Amino acid sequence: MNNPVIHEQWLTTITELTAEHYPHWVLFQNGSCVILEAEKEDPSADELAQMALEVLKEQASRPALSVHAYPEGQLIALDEHSWLLPAGEGVYTVLKLDEFQEEAPSEFAIWVKARQKQRLDLEQARIIYVNCSQKNRYCS
């Protein structure tokens, strides 16, 4: 998915959600976000990217990405136009209404799309943004 408008919406949403408590996170091309607890005080963007890739590789072996394992109640509605779906410790997928053809997608449809996006991010591992500072200095 190469939609700069959607990517910008994801960045805005994640920045708002993480601003105070989670300064280190990595956003992948399809909307997966890995929130990291860095061991160093000020890790580089490359270090954070490598950590996020390792987290996604670890996730790849888990059955949680199966469409057959639909966990009701895990979907977090951020507002009427966006959702967040946890996919394991520190891994989330952001979805925006603009990504759906339906005007009011069901929770199951949102969940299926999130899992599809997570699977793509696991396979492609394309990072589009790394937030790498506790002092609001962004590295991409």
Side-chain angles (χ1 to χ4, degrees):
M1 171 178 229
N2 288 317
N3 184 333
V5 173
I6 294 291
H7 289 172
E8 190 62 37
Q9 291 174 344
W10 292 341
L11 286 171
T12 300
T13 299
I14 295 166
T15 300
E16 289 170 0
L17 291 171
T18 61
E20 290 185 36
H21 303 291
Y22 303 103
H24 304 115
W25 49 271
V26 176
L27 180 62
F28 288 80
Q29 180 176 353
N30 296 291
S32 296
C33 176
V34 178
I35 297 173
L36 300 161
E37 300 243 356
E39 293 179 15
K40 290 173 49 176
E41 186 173 323
D42 194 17
S44 70
D46 289 340
E47 290 170 321
L48 290 170
Q50 186 59 42
M51 289 170 60
L53 286 169
E54 289 171 17
V55 169
L56 280 186
K57 287 177 187 173
E58 185 180 310
Q59 286 293 110
S61 63
R62 297 184 182 174
L65 293 183
S66 167
V67 172
H68 303 292
Y70 171 52
E72 287 189 84
Q74 284 193 358
L75 183 67
I76 301 165
L78 301 173
D79 57 37
E80 59 199 42
H81 302 290
S82 58
W83 304 271
L84 188 67
L85 185 75
E89 190 171 331
V91 181
Y92 300 88
T93 299
V94 179
L95 296 104
K96 294 287 187 179
L97 183 59
D98 302 9
E99 299 175 65
F100 293 88
Q101 292 180 351
E102 309 96 284
E103 286 186 32
S106 68
E107 182 174 321
F108 182 74
I110 295 167
W111 185 86
V112 168
K113 184 160 197 85
R115 291 300 191 227
Q116 290 169 340
K117 291 169 56 163
Q118 290 164 359
R119 176 82 53 211
L120 282 172
D121 281 331
L122 288 168
E123 292 169 2
Q124 298 170 351
R126 290 193 188 121
I127 294 171
I128 62 169
Y129 187 85
V130 177
N131 195 67
C132 65
S133 177
Q134 297 175 342
K135 298 173 185 71
N136 296 325
R137 179 177 47 85
Y138 300 105
C139 304
S140 58

Short mmCIF file of all heavy atoms in Angstrom, two decimals, residues 37-95:
data_model
loop_
_atom_site.label_atom_id
_atom_site.label_comp_id
_atom_site.label_asym_id
_atom_site.label_seq_id
_atom_site.Cartn_x
_atom_site.Cartn_y
_atom_site.Cartn_z
N GLU A 37 10.74 -0.72 23.59
CA GLU A 37 11.36 -0.27 24.84
C GLU A 37 12.86 -0.43 24.61
O GLU A 37 13.39 -1.53 24.69
CB GLU A 37 10.90 -1.14 26.01
CG GLU A 37 9.41 -1.10 26.21
CD GLU A 37 9.03 -0.51 27.54
OE1 GLU A 37 9.91 -0.21 28.35
OE2 GLU A 37 7.82 -0.37 27.75
N ALA A 38 13.52 0.67 24.28
CA ALA A 38 14.94 0.61 23.96
C ALA A 38 15.78 0.49 25.22
O ALA A 38 15.47 1.10 26.24
CB ALA A 38 15.35 1.84 23.17
N GLU A 39 16.85 -0.31 25.13
CA GLU A 39 17.76 -0.48 26.26
C GLU A 39 18.65 0.75 26.43
O GLU A 39 18.99 1.12 27.54
CB GLU A 39 18.58 -1.74 26.08
CG GLU A 39 17.73 -3.00 26.16
CD GLU A 39 18.53 -4.27 25.96
OE1 GLU A 39 19.78 -4.22 26.03
OE2 GLU A 39 17.90 -5.30 25.73
N LYS A 40 19.03 1.37 25.32
CA LYS A 40 19.84 2.59 25.37
C LYS A 40 18.93 3.79 25.49
O LYS A 40 17.78 3.76 25.07
CB LYS A 40 20.64 2.72 24.07
CG LYS A 40 21.75 1.72 23.91
CD LYS A 40 22.39 1.78 22.53
CE LYS A 40 22.76 3.16 22.08
NZ LYS A 40 23.46 3.19 20.80
N GLU A 41 19.45 4.87 26.03
CA GLU A 41 18.64 6.08 26.20
C GLU A 41 18.29 6.72 24.87
O GLU A 41 17.18 7.20 24.67
CB GLU A 41 19.37 7.10 27.08
CG GLU A 41 18.51 8.29 27.39
CD GLU A 41 19.16 9.22 28.39
OE1 GLU A 41 19.82 8.74 29.32
OE2 GLU A 41 18.99 10.43 28.23
N ASP A 42 19.21 6.76 23.93
CA ASP A 42 18.96 7.41 22.65
C ASP A 42 19.44 6.53 21.50
O ASP A 42 20.46 6.81 20.86
CB ASP A 42 19.65 8.77 22.62
CG ASP A 42 19.16 9.65 21.49
OD1 ASP A 42 18.08 9.36 20.93
OD2 ASP A 42 19.86 10.62 21.15
N PRO A 43 18.70 5.45 21.20
CA PRO A 43 19.12 4.56 20.12
C PRO A 43 18.97 5.23 18.75
O PRO A 43 18.16 6.15 18.58
CB PRO A 43 18.15 3.38 20.25
CG PRO A 43 16.95 3.96 20.89
CD PRO A 43 17.45 5.05 21.80
N SER A 44 19.75 4.75 17.80
CA SER A 44 19.66 5.31 16.45
C SER A 44 18.45 4.73 15.72
O SER A 44 17.87 3.72 16.14
CB SER A 44 20.93 4.95 15.67
OG SER A 44 20.95 3.56 15.39
N ALA A 45 18.10 5.37 14.62
CA ALA A 45 16.99 4.87 13.79
C ALA A 45 17.30 3.47 13.28
O ALA A 45 16.42 2.61 13.23
CB ALA A 45 16.73 5.84 12.64
N ASP A 46 18.56 3.22 12.91
CA ASP A 46 18.95 1.90 12.42
C ASP A 46 18.79 0.83 13.51
O ASP A 46 18.33 -0.28 13.24
CB ASP A 46 20.39 1.90 11.91
CG ASP A 46 20.55 2.65 10.60
OD1 ASP A 46 19.53 2.85 9.90
OD2 ASP A 46 21.69 3.04 10.28
N GLU A 47 19.18 1.16 14.73
CA GLU A 47 19.02 0.21 15.84
C GLU A 47 17.55 -0.10 16.10
O GLU A 47 17.17 -1.26 16.29
CB GLU A 47 19.67 0.76 17.12
CG GLU A 47 21.17 0.82 17.07
CD GLU A 47 21.78 1.59 18.23
OE1 GLU A 47 21.22 2.63 18.64
OE2 GLU A 47 22.83 1.14 18.73
N LEU A 48 16.72 0.92 16.08
CA LEU A 48 15.29 0.72 16.31
C LEU A 48 14.65 -0.07 15.17
O LEU A 48 13.81 -0.95 15.40
CB LEU A 48 14.58 2.06 16.49
CG LEU A 48 14.91 2.78 17.79
CD1 LEU A 48 14.36 4.19 17.76
CD2 LEU A 48 14.40 2.02 19.00
N ALA A 49 15.06 0.21 13.94
CA ALA A 49 14.54 -0.53 12.79
C ALA A 49 14.88 -2.00 12.91
O ALA A 49 14.03 -2.88 12.68
CB ALA A 49 15.10 0.05 11.49
N GLN A 50 16.11 -2.31 13.29
CA GLN A 50 16.53 -3.70 13.45
C GLN A 50 15.74 -4.38 14.57
O GLN A 50 15.30 -5.53 14.42
CB GLN A 50 18.04 -3.77 13.74
CG GLN A 50 18.57 -5.18 13.78
CD GLN A 50 18.35 -5.92 12.46
OE1 GLN A 50 18.52 -5.37 11.38
NE2 GLN A 50 17.93 -7.17 12.54
N MET A 51 15.53 -3.68 15.67
CA MET A 51 14.74 -4.24 16.78
C MET A 51 13.31 -4.54 16.32
O MET A 51 12.75 -5.60 16.64
CB MET A 51 14.71 -3.26 17.96
CG MET A 51 16.04 -3.12 18.69
SD MET A 51 16.05 -1.74 19.89
CE MET A 51 14.74 -2.19 21.00
N ALA A 52 12.71 -3.62 15.57
CA ALA A 52 11.34 -3.81 15.10
C ALA A 52 11.24 -4.99 14.14
O ALA A 52 10.29 -5.78 14.20
CB ALA A 52 10.83 -2.54 14.42
N LEU A 53 12.22 -5.14 13.27
CA LEU A 53 12.24 -6.28 12.35
C LEU A 53 12.32 -7.60 13.12
O LEU A 53 11.65 -8.58 12.77
CB LEU A 53 13.39 -6.16 11.36
CG LEU A 53 13.21 -5.12 10.27
CD1 LEU A 53 14.51 -4.90 9.51
CD2 LEU A 53 12.09 -5.51 9.33
N GLU A 54 13.11 -7.62 14.18
CA GLU A 54 13.21 -8.83 15.00
C GLU A 54 11.88 -9.15 15.67
O GLU A 54 11.48 -10.31 15.74
CB GLU A 54 14.32 -8.66 16.04
CG GLU A 54 15.71 -8.69 15.44
CD GLU A 54 16.80 -8.32 16.43
OE1 GLU A 54 16.56 -8.36 17.66
OE2 GLU A 54 17.91 -7.99 15.97
N VAL A 55 11.18 -8.12 16.14
CA VAL A 55 9.87 -8.33 16.76
C VAL A 55 8.89 -8.91 15.73
O VAL A 55 8.16 -9.85 16.02
CB VAL A 55 9.32 -7.01 17.37
CG1 VAL A 55 7.86 -7.16 17.77
CG2 VAL A 55 10.15 -6.59 18.57
N LEU A 56 8.89 -8.36 14.51
CA LEU A 56 7.99 -8.88 13.48
C LEU A 56 8.33 -10.32 13.11
O LEU A 56 7.44 -11.13 12.90
CB LEU A 56 8.01 -8.00 12.24
CG LEU A 56 7.19 -6.73 12.28
CD1 LEU A 56 7.18 -6.04 10.92
CD2 LEU A 56 5.76 -6.99 12.71
N LYS A 57 9.62 -10.64 13.04
CA LYS A 57 10.01 -12.02 12.73
C LYS A 57 9.52 -12.97 13.81
O LYS A 57 9.07 -14.07 13.53
CB LYS A 57 11.53 -12.11 12.58
CG LYS A 57 12.03 -11.51 11.29
CD LYS A 57 13.54 -11.56 11.21
CE LYS A 57 14.04 -10.80 10.00
NZ LYS A 57 15.49 -10.68 9.97
N GLU A 58 9.60 -12.53 15.06
CA GLU A 58 9.11 -13.35 16.17
C GLU A 58 7.60 -13.56 16.04
O GLU A 58 7.08 -14.64 16.28
CB GLU A 58 9.44 -12.66 17.49
CG GLU A 58 9.08 -13.46 18.71
CD GLU A 58 9.44 -12.72 19.98
OE1 GLU A 58 10.59 -12.25 20.08
OE2 GLU A 58 8.57 -12.62 20.86
N GLN A 59 6.89 -12.50 15.64
CA GLN A 59 5.44 -12.58 15.47
C GLN A 59 5.05 -13.56 14.35
O GLN A 59 3.99 -14.16 14.39
CB GLN A 59 4.86 -11.22 15.13
CG GLN A 59 4.79 -10.26 16.28
CD GLN A 59 3.80 -10.72 17.33
OE1 GLN A 59 4.18 -11.11 18.41
NE2 GLN A 59 2.54 -10.69 17.00
N ALA A 60 5.91 -13.68 13.35
CA ALA A 60 5.59 -14.51 12.19
C ALA A 60 5.33 -15.97 12.56
O ALA A 60 4.57 -16.65 11.89
CB ALA A 60 6.72 -14.44 11.17
N SER A 61 5.93 -16.43 13.62
CA SER A 61 5.77 -17.84 14.01
C SER A 61 4.55 -18.08 14.89
O SER A 61 4.24 -19.22 15.21
CB SER A 61 7.03 -18.31 14.74
OG SER A 61 7.17 -17.57 15.94
N ARG A 62 3.84 -17.04 15.24
CA ARG A 62 2.69 -17.19 16.13
C ARG A 62 1.39 -17.34 15.34
O ARG A 62 1.20 -16.68 14.33
CB ARG A 62 2.58 -15.98 17.06
CG ARG A 62 3.78 -15.87 17.95
CD ARG A 62 3.64 -14.75 18.91
NE ARG A 62 4.85 -14.66 19.71
CZ ARG A 62 5.09 -13.72 20.56
NH1 ARG A 62 4.21 -12.77 20.75
NH2 ARG A 62 6.22 -13.71 21.23
N PRO A 63 0.47 -18.16 15.83
CA PRO A 63 -0.80 -18.37 15.12
C PRO A 63 -1.78 -17.22 15.25
O PRO A 63 -2.84 -17.25 14.66
CB PRO A 63 -1.37 -19.63 15.78
CG PRO A 63 -0.78 -19.64 17.14
CD PRO A 63 0.60 -19.01 16.99
N ALA A 64 -1.44 -16.17 15.95
CA ALA A 64 -2.37 -15.06 16.19
C ALA A 64 -2.79 -14.36 14.91
O ALA A 64 -3.79 -13.67 14.88
CB ALA A 64 -1.74 -14.05 17.14
N LEU A 65 -2.03 -14.51 13.84
CA LEU A 65 -2.38 -13.85 12.59
C LEU A 65 -3.38 -14.65 11.76
O LEU A 65 -3.76 -14.25 10.69
CB LEU A 65 -1.13 -13.57 11.76
CG LEU A 65 -0.17 -12.55 12.37
CD1 LEU A 65 0.99 -12.30 11.43
CD2 LEU A 65 -0.87 -11.26 12.67
N SER A 66 -3.83 -15.76 12.27
CA SER A 66 -4.79 -16.58 11.57
C SER A 66 -6.16 -15.92 11.58
O SER A 66 -6.63 -15.44 12.60
CB SER A 66 -4.89 -17.96 12.23
OG SER A 66 -6.01 -18.65 11.75
N VAL A 67 -6.83 -15.92 10.44
CA VAL A 67 -8.18 -15.38 10.36
C VAL A 67 -9.14 -16.22 11.20
O VAL A 67 -10.17 -15.75 11.65
CB VAL A 67 -8.64 -15.31 8.89
CG1 VAL A 67 -10.11 -14.93 8.77
CG2 VAL A 67 -7.79 -14.31 8.12
N HIS A 68 -8.77 -17.47 11.45
CA HIS A 68 -9.64 -18.37 12.21
C HIS A 68 -9.58 -18.09 13.71
O HIS A 68 -10.36 -18.64 14.47
CB HIS A 68 -9.26 -19.82 11.93
CG HIS A 68 -9.34 -20.15 10.47
ND1 HIS A 68 -10.52 -20.20 9.79
CD2 HIS A 68 -8.37 -20.39 9.58
CE1 HIS A 68 -10.28 -20.48 8.52
NE2 HIS A 68 -8.98 -20.60 8.37
N ALA A 69 -8.67 -17.23 14.13
CA ALA A 69 -8.51 -16.95 15.56
C ALA A 69 -9.06 -15.57 15.90
O ALA A 69 -8.44 -14.80 16.60
CB ALA A 69 -7.02 -17.03 15.93
N TYR A 70 -10.24 -15.26 15.40
CA TYR A 70 -10.85 -13.95 15.59
C TYR A 70 -11.13 -13.68 17.06
O TYR A 70 -12.00 -14.29 17.65
CB TYR A 70 -12.14 -13.88 14.78
CG TYR A 70 -12.98 -12.66 15.03
CD1 TYR A 70 -12.45 -11.38 14.95
CD2 TYR A 70 -14.33 -12.79 15.33
CE1 TYR A 70 -13.23 -10.26 15.17
CE2 TYR A 70 -15.13 -11.67 15.54
CZ TYR A 70 -14.57 -10.42 15.46
OH TYR A 70 -15.34 -9.31 15.68
N PRO A 71 -10.37 -12.79 17.69
CA PRO A 71 -10.55 -12.50 19.12
C PRO A 71 -11.46 -11.30 19.34
O PRO A 71 -11.02 -10.16 19.31
CB PRO A 71 -9.13 -12.21 19.59
CG PRO A 71 -8.50 -11.56 18.38
CD PRO A 71 -9.18 -12.15 17.17
N GLU A 72 -12.72 -11.51 19.54
CA GLU A 72 -13.65 -10.40 19.75
C GLU A 72 -13.19 -9.55 20.94
O GLU A 72 -12.66 -10.04 21.91
CB GLU A 72 -15.05 -10.92 20.03
CG GLU A 72 -15.72 -11.47 18.78
CD GLU A 72 -17.16 -11.78 19.03
OE1 GLU A 72 -17.98 -10.85 18.93
OE2 GLU A 72 -17.45 -12.95 19.31
N GLY A 73 -13.39 -8.25 20.80
CA GLY A 73 -13.09 -7.34 21.90
C GLY A 73 -11.69 -6.78 21.90
O GLY A 73 -11.38 -5.92 22.71
N GLN A 74 -10.82 -7.24 21.00
CA GLN A 74 -9.45 -6.70 20.98
C GLN A 74 -9.33 -5.44 20.14
O GLN A 74 -8.39 -4.69 20.28
CB GLN A 74 -8.46 -7.75 20.47
CG GLN A 74 -8.15 -8.80 21.47
CD GLN A 74 -6.95 -9.63 21.05
OE1 GLN A 74 -6.38 -9.44 19.99
NE2 GLN A 74 -6.57 -10.55 21.90
N LEU A 75 -10.28 -5.22 19.26
CA LEU A 75 -10.25 -4.05 18.40
C LEU A 75 -10.50 -2.80 19.24
O LEU A 75 -11.43 -2.74 20.02
CB LEU A 75 -11.33 -4.19 17.32
CG LEU A 75 -11.40 -3.08 16.29
CD1 LEU A 75 -10.14 -3.10 15.43
CD2 LEU A 75 -12.63 -3.27 15.43
N ILE A 76 -9.63 -1.80 19.05
CA ILE A 76 -9.76 -0.55 19.79
C ILE A 76 -10.21 0.53 18.82
O ILE A 76 -9.49 0.85 17.87
CB ILE A 76 -8.42 -0.16 20.44
CG1 ILE A 76 -7.94 -1.25 21.38
CG2 ILE A 76 -8.53 1.19 21.15
CD1 ILE A 76 -6.48 -1.13 21.77
N ALA A 77 -11.39 1.09 19.04
CA ALA A 77 -11.87 2.19 18.21
C ALA A 77 -11.23 3.48 18.73
O ALA A 77 -11.44 3.85 19.88
CB ALA A 77 -13.39 2.28 18.27
N LEU A 78 -10.44 4.12 17.90
CA LEU A 78 -9.79 5.36 18.30
C LEU A 78 -10.76 6.53 18.14
O LEU A 78 -10.75 7.46 18.92
CB LEU A 78 -8.54 5.60 17.46
CG LEU A 78 -7.48 4.49 17.57
CD1 LEU A 78 -6.37 4.74 16.57
CD2 LEU A 78 -6.95 4.41 18.99
N ASP A 79 -11.56 6.46 17.10
CA ASP A 79 -12.65 7.40 16.86
C ASP A 79 -13.54 6.72 15.83
O ASP A 79 -13.36 5.55 15.53
CB ASP A 79 -12.14 8.78 16.40
CG ASP A 79 -11.28 8.72 15.15
OD1 ASP A 79 -11.58 7.92 14.24
OD2 ASP A 79 -10.30 9.48 15.07
N GLU A 80 -14.49 7.45 15.25
CA GLU A 80 -15.40 6.80 14.30
C GLU A 80 -14.77 6.50 12.95
O GLU A 80 -15.37 5.83 12.12
CB GLU A 80 -16.65 7.67 14.11
CG GLU A 80 -16.32 9.05 13.58
CD GLU A 80 -17.44 10.04 13.81
OE1 GLU A 80 -18.03 10.02 14.90
OE2 GLU A 80 -17.72 10.83 12.90
N HIS A 81 -13.51 6.95 12.74
CA HIS A 81 -12.85 6.76 11.45
C HIS A 81 -11.53 5.99 11.54
O HIS A 81 -10.82 5.88 10.55
CB HIS A 81 -12.58 8.11 10.78
CG HIS A 81 -13.81 8.92 10.56
ND1 HIS A 81 -14.77 8.59 9.64
CD2 HIS A 81 -14.26 10.04 11.18
CE1 HIS A 81 -15.75 9.47 9.68
NE2 HIS A 81 -15.47 10.35 10.61
N SER A 82 -11.17 5.49 12.73
CA SER A 82 -9.89 4.80 12.85
C SER A 82 -9.92 3.77 13.97
O SER A 82 -10.65 3.93 14.95
CB SER A 82 -8.75 5.79 13.07
OG SER A 82 -8.97 6.57 14.22
N TRP A 83 -9.12 2.73 13.79
CA TRP A 83 -9.07 1.63 14.74
C TRP A 83 -7.62 1.19 14.94
O TRP A 83 -6.76 1.44 14.11
CB TRP A 83 -9.87 0.43 14.23
CG TRP A 83 -11.27 0.77 13.91
CD1 TRP A 83 -12.33 0.73 14.77
CD2 TRP A 83 -11.78 1.20 12.66
NE1 TRP A 83 -13.47 1.13 14.12
CE2 TRP A 83 -13.17 1.43 12.83
CE3 TRP A 83 -11.23 1.44 11.41
CZ2 TRP A 83 -13.98 1.85 11.80
CZ3 TRP A 83 -12.03 1.88 10.38
CH2 TRP A 83 -13.40 2.08 10.58
N LEU A 84 -7.40 0.52 16.04
CA LEU A 84 -6.10 -0.03 16.39
C LEU A 84 -6.33 -1.47 16.81
O LEU A 84 -7.21 -1.76 17.61
CB LEU A 84 -5.51 0.78 17.55
CG LEU A 84 -4.08 0.50 17.96
CD1 LEU A 84 -3.12 0.93 16.86
CD2 LEU A 84 -3.76 1.24 19.24
N LEU A 85 -5.54 -2.38 16.26
CA LEU A 85 -5.68 -3.78 16.60
C LEU A 85 -4.36 -4.31 17.14
O LEU A 85 -3.35 -4.30 16.43
CB LEU A 85 -6.10 -4.62 15.38
CG LEU A 85 -6.37 -6.08 15.71
CD1 LEU A 85 -7.70 -6.23 16.42
CD2 LEU A 85 -6.34 -6.92 14.46
N PRO A 86 -4.32 -4.75 18.41
CA PRO A 86 -3.10 -5.35 18.95
C PRO A 86 -2.81 -6.67 18.24
O PRO A 86 -3.73 -7.42 17.91
CB PRO A 86 -3.44 -5.60 20.42
CG PRO A 86 -4.68 -4.83 20.70
CD PRO A 86 -5.38 -4.66 19.41
N ALA A 87 -1.53 -6.95 18.03
CA ALA A 87 -1.14 -8.19 17.37
C ALA A 87 -0.01 -8.87 18.13
O ALA A 87 0.80 -9.58 17.56
CB ALA A 87 -0.69 -7.90 15.94
N GLY A 88 0.05 -8.66 19.41
CA GLY A 88 1.14 -9.20 20.21
C GLY A 88 1.76 -8.07 21.01
O GLY A 88 1.40 -6.91 20.85
N GLU A 89 2.69 -8.41 21.85
CA GLU A 89 3.28 -7.41 22.73
C GLU A 89 4.01 -6.33 21.94
O GLU A 89 4.99 -6.59 21.24
CB GLU A 89 4.25 -8.08 23.70
CG GLU A 89 4.70 -7.15 24.79
CD GLU A 89 5.48 -7.87 25.88
OE1 GLU A 89 5.22 -9.06 26.11
OE2 GLU A 89 6.33 -7.22 26.47
N GLY A 90 3.50 -5.10 22.02
CA GLY A 90 4.14 -3.97 21.37
C GLY A 90 3.85 -3.84 19.88
O GLY A 90 4.38 -2.95 19.23
N VAL A 91 3.04 -4.72 19.30
CA VAL A 91 2.75 -4.67 17.88
C VAL A 91 1.27 -4.33 17.68
O VAL A 91 0.41 -4.96 18.27
CB VAL A 91 3.07 -6.01 17.17
CG1 VAL A 91 2.78 -5.92 15.69
CG2 VAL A 91 4.52 -6.40 17.40
N TYR A 92 1.03 -3.34 16.85
CA TYR A 92 -0.33 -2.88 16.58
C TYR A 92 -0.49 -2.63 15.09
O TYR A 92 0.49 -2.39 14.39
CB TYR A 92 -0.62 -1.57 17.32
CG TYR A 92 -0.50 -1.71 18.81
CD1 TYR A 92 0.74 -1.53 19.44
CD2 TYR A 92 -1.59 -2.07 19.59
CE1 TYR A 92 0.86 -1.69 20.81
CE2 TYR A 92 -1.47 -2.22 20.96
CZ TYR A 92 -0.24 -2.04 21.56
OH TYR A 92 -0.12 -2.21 22.91
N THR A 93 -1.72 -2.64 14.63
CA THR A 93 -2.00 -2.22 13.26
C THR A 93 -3.04 -1.11 13.31
O THR A 93 -4.06 -1.23 13.99
CB THR A 93 -2.52 -3.40 12.41
OG1 THR A 93 -1.51 -4.39 12.36
CG2 THR A 93 -2.83 -2.95 10.99
N VAL A 94 -2.75 -0.04 12.58
CA VAL A 94 -3.65 1.11 12.51
C VAL A 94 -4.45 0.99 11.22
O VAL A 94 -3.90 0.70 10.16
CB VAL A 94 -2.85 2.43 12.49
CG1 VAL A 94 -3.78 3.62 12.39
CG2 VAL A 94 -1.96 2.53 13.71
N LEU A 95 -5.75 1.22 11.33
CA LEU A 95 -6.62 1.21 10.16
C LEU A 95 -7.45 2.47 10.15
O LEU A 95 -7.88 2.95 11.20
CB LEU A 95 -7.57 0.00 10.20
CG LEU A 95 -6.89 -1.34 10.13
CD1 LEU A 95 -6.87 -1.98 11.48
CD2 LEU A 95 -7.58 -2.21 9.13
#
